[in-house]
Amino acid sequence: MATRRTVLKAAGAGPLAGGLTAPSADASRAAEADVLVVVEKSGHAVGFYDTTSGQRLRTVPLPDHPHEMVVDSRRRFAYVGHYGVRMSSTIGEGGAAVFVIDLAERSLARTIDVRPFNRVHGMGIDRHDRLYALSEEKAVLLGFDDPATDVAPTRAVPTNGVKTHLFTLSRDGERAYVTGLLSHTVSLVRPHDASVPPLLATPGQLPESSCLSRDEKTLFVGARKSSSLVALDARTLKVRRHHDVGGDPLRVYTLDDERLLVTDIATNTLTVWSTDLRRIRSLQLDGTPAAVSLHPTSSVAYVSLLGANRIAVVDLDRLAVIGGFRTGLEPDSSVLLPGTP
């Protein structure tokens, strides 16, 4: 594990997160610290947090129920999908926009209207900084070739799924793996060639989250109703192996060439699995683990705990909670912005 510059406060520390903008007690230290940007879906905002102290540095209010977020390679802009309803089971038209957050100014720079493509949930960005946003209602994957300036999508491709919720993107942006909650499918979509029909597979019931192996040859999917973790060939979508996890695997992440990380919202656990689907170790958490952000140079994970309105800071080498801080209502997806040395 790489050495961290910061000393994390013990779990339970940190201020109340209900206020608006609060300047740091030590502006120079805060400017150098790692900052976690958190989408607070029922707080209807994006919050900026100093990971050393847990202090909220800034709040960016947004329209109701933002959900997923990605950041460009230069850490200049964050892009947040306007889902517009609290949960996937919530009935409603939802939102039809992408919010562009200026990370330097910590403010809402502008809003991209994507109507008629509504319930915008899954978000992705490729190594060329091209943006992708998924309309759950229309089952269409939208593309933005220059999202820093685009005022509308520059492309759109059908996914052939139903209630399409999340997707995993290859690094070059040429392949997207879209999960359909109601069709119980994974669709391999070519975002830059709509003439290629989507390739579909059924890995299990209620597939939601997925991730690619480092070599991008294997797709790992969490099938929630089937309580299973499934490995598929990333080109053919043929199932290679599957394993019963005994819970509800909400999110799946690639840690390295040999390990995966899975959040389970039935058992409130964070579990490390091998890439050949052997359980290695589990950690019991004091809240419902939603999304995770991984530190780019340290074996540290920032886990959003929905019911507890907290971030748990987890040492992945020891698989132990080493800190935490409070957030606004229902923290979900987040992105870590590493500080300066």
Side-chain angles (χ1 to χ4, degrees), residues 179-196:
T179 54
L181 296 179
L182 199 54
S183 54
H184 307 291
T185 53
V186 173
S187 306
L188 170 52
V189 176
R190 303 289 178 173
H192 297 275
D193 191 352
S195 69
V196 178

Side-chain angles (χ1 to χ4, degrees), residues 20 43-46 59-63 108:
L20 296 177
H44 317 304
V46 168
T59 300
V60 180
L62 294 175
L108 176 62

